[in-house]
Short mmCIF file of all heavy atoms in Angstrom, two decimals:
data_model
loop_
_atom_site.label_atom_id
_atom_site.label_comp_id
_atom_site.label_asym_id
_atom_site.label_seq_id
_atom_site.Cartn_x
_atom_site.Cartn_y
_atom_site.Cartn_z
N LEU A 511 36.22 46.98 46.31
CA LEU A 511 36.95 48.19 46.81
C LEU A 511 37.57 47.95 48.16
O LEU A 511 38.27 48.82 48.69
CB LEU A 511 35.97 49.38 46.97
CG LEU A 511 35.40 49.93 45.64
CD1 LEU A 511 34.39 51.02 45.92
CD2 LEU A 511 36.55 50.46 44.79
N ALA A 512 37.43 46.70 48.76
CA ALA A 512 38.10 46.34 50.00
C ALA A 512 39.50 45.94 49.67
O ALA A 512 39.73 45.12 48.80
CB ALA A 512 37.32 45.25 50.73
N PRO A 513 40.50 46.52 50.44
CA PRO A 513 41.87 46.08 50.20
C PRO A 513 42.08 44.65 50.50
O PRO A 513 41.56 44.12 51.50
CB PRO A 513 42.63 46.96 51.21
CG PRO A 513 41.63 47.37 52.19
CD PRO A 513 40.37 47.47 51.55
N LYS A 514 42.76 43.94 49.60
CA LYS A 514 42.97 42.46 49.82
C LYS A 514 43.92 42.15 50.90
O LYS A 514 43.68 41.18 51.64
CB LYS A 514 43.46 41.86 48.48
CG LYS A 514 42.52 42.00 47.34
CD LYS A 514 41.34 41.09 47.58
CE LYS A 514 40.41 41.05 46.36
NZ LYS A 514 39.79 42.34 46.01
N ALA A 515 44.97 42.93 51.06
CA ALA A 515 45.94 42.59 52.06
C ALA A 515 46.73 43.87 52.45
O ALA A 515 47.02 44.69 51.60
CB ALA A 515 46.96 41.50 51.57
N PRO A 516 47.08 44.04 53.73
CA PRO A 516 47.84 45.21 54.13
C PRO A 516 49.13 45.32 53.46
O PRO A 516 49.69 46.40 53.25
CB PRO A 516 48.00 44.98 55.64
CG PRO A 516 46.91 44.06 56.04
CD PRO A 516 46.73 43.18 54.87
N SER A 517 49.73 44.20 53.05
CA SER A 517 51.08 44.26 52.45
C SER A 517 51.17 45.10 51.17
O SER A 517 52.17 45.50 50.76
CB SER A 517 51.63 42.85 52.19
OG SER A 517 50.74 42.16 51.31
N ARG A 518 50.00 45.27 50.56
CA ARG A 518 49.96 45.94 49.34
C ARG A 518 50.28 47.39 49.52
O ARG A 518 50.58 48.15 48.60
CB ARG A 518 48.56 45.75 48.68
CG ARG A 518 48.54 46.26 47.28
CD ARG A 518 47.20 45.82 46.65
NE ARG A 518 47.22 44.40 46.29
CZ ARG A 518 46.21 43.74 45.83
NH1 ARG A 518 45.03 44.31 45.68
NH2 ARG A 518 46.31 42.46 45.48
N ILE A 519 50.08 47.96 50.71
CA ILE A 519 50.41 49.38 50.92
C ILE A 519 51.65 49.60 51.81
O ILE A 519 51.86 50.69 52.26
CB ILE A 519 49.16 50.06 51.61
CG1 ILE A 519 48.88 49.45 52.95
CG2 ILE A 519 47.97 50.02 50.74
CD1 ILE A 519 47.85 50.19 53.73
N VAL A 520 52.35 48.54 51.99
CA VAL A 520 53.65 48.71 52.82
C VAL A 520 54.79 48.70 51.84
O VAL A 520 54.85 47.91 50.92
CB VAL A 520 53.76 47.49 53.74
CG1 VAL A 520 55.00 47.59 54.54
CG2 VAL A 520 52.53 47.51 54.70
N SER A 521 55.74 49.57 52.10
CA SER A 521 56.94 49.62 51.28
C SER A 521 57.66 48.29 51.37
O SER A 521 57.72 47.72 52.41
CB SER A 521 57.83 50.76 51.80
OG SER A 521 59.10 50.79 51.14
N SER A 522 58.27 47.92 50.22
CA SER A 522 58.92 46.63 50.20
C SER A 522 60.19 46.56 51.09
O SER A 522 60.65 45.58 51.45
CB SER A 522 59.34 46.36 48.68
OG SER A 522 60.22 47.39 48.28
N SER A 523 60.63 47.74 51.45
CA SER A 523 61.82 47.80 52.37
C SER A 523 61.45 47.72 53.80
O SER A 523 62.32 47.71 54.64
CB SER A 523 62.58 49.12 52.09
OG SER A 523 61.79 50.25 52.41
N LYS A 524 60.08 47.69 54.16
CA LYS A 524 59.71 47.70 55.51
C LYS A 524 58.80 46.51 55.79
O LYS A 524 57.86 46.30 55.06
CB LYS A 524 58.91 48.99 55.89
CG LYS A 524 59.71 50.23 55.69
CD LYS A 524 58.87 51.44 55.93
CE LYS A 524 59.65 52.73 55.65
NZ LYS A 524 58.84 53.89 55.86
N PRO A 525 59.05 45.72 56.84
CA PRO A 525 58.24 44.59 57.08
C PRO A 525 56.80 45.01 57.52
O PRO A 525 56.65 46.02 58.17
CB PRO A 525 58.91 43.86 58.24
CG PRO A 525 59.78 44.90 58.91
CD PRO A 525 60.15 45.87 57.78
N ALA A 526 55.83 44.17 57.19
CA ALA A 526 54.44 44.51 57.54
C ALA A 526 54.21 44.68 59.01
O ALA A 526 53.43 45.43 59.48
CB ALA A 526 53.49 43.49 56.97
N ALA A 527 54.97 43.88 59.83
CA ALA A 527 54.79 43.89 61.21
C ALA A 527 55.08 45.23 61.85
O ALA A 527 54.52 45.61 62.87
CB ALA A 527 55.69 42.85 61.86
N SER A 528 55.94 46.00 61.23
CA SER A 528 56.33 47.30 61.69
C SER A 528 55.16 48.28 61.56
O SER A 528 55.27 49.36 62.13
CB SER A 528 57.59 47.88 61.01
OG SER A 528 57.28 48.11 59.68
N LYS A 529 54.16 47.92 60.82
CA LYS A 529 53.06 48.86 60.61
C LYS A 529 51.94 48.74 61.61
O LYS A 529 50.88 49.25 61.54
CB LYS A 529 52.44 48.62 59.22
CG LYS A 529 53.37 49.10 58.09
CD LYS A 529 53.44 50.57 58.01
CE LYS A 529 54.27 51.10 56.86
NZ LYS A 529 54.31 52.51 56.81
N ALA A 530 52.21 47.92 62.67
CA ALA A 530 51.10 47.75 63.63
C ALA A 530 51.57 48.01 65.06
O ALA A 530 51.59 47.17 65.89
CB ALA A 530 50.57 46.31 63.50
N PRO A 531 51.97 49.25 65.35
CA PRO A 531 52.33 49.62 66.68
C PRO A 531 51.18 49.67 67.60
O PRO A 531 50.02 49.81 67.16
CB PRO A 531 52.98 51.01 66.52
CG PRO A 531 52.30 51.57 65.32
CD PRO A 531 52.05 50.42 64.44
N SER A 532 51.38 49.67 68.90
CA SER A 532 50.29 49.61 69.86
C SER A 532 49.54 51.01 69.93
O SER A 532 48.47 51.00 70.49
CB SER A 532 50.81 49.32 71.22
OG SER A 532 51.79 50.25 71.66
N THR A 533 50.10 52.06 69.32
CA THR A 533 49.47 53.39 69.37
C THR A 533 48.27 53.42 68.47
O THR A 533 47.51 54.40 68.54
CB THR A 533 50.44 54.45 68.98
OG1 THR A 533 51.01 54.10 67.70
CG2 THR A 533 51.53 54.60 70.04
#
Side-chain angles (χ1 to χ4, degrees):
L511 294 174
K514 295 292 187 297
S517 60
R518 190 169 285 173
I519 60 171
V520 178
S521 173
S522 60
S523 63
K524 300 176 183 179
S528 65
K529 288 290 183 178
S532 59
T533 53

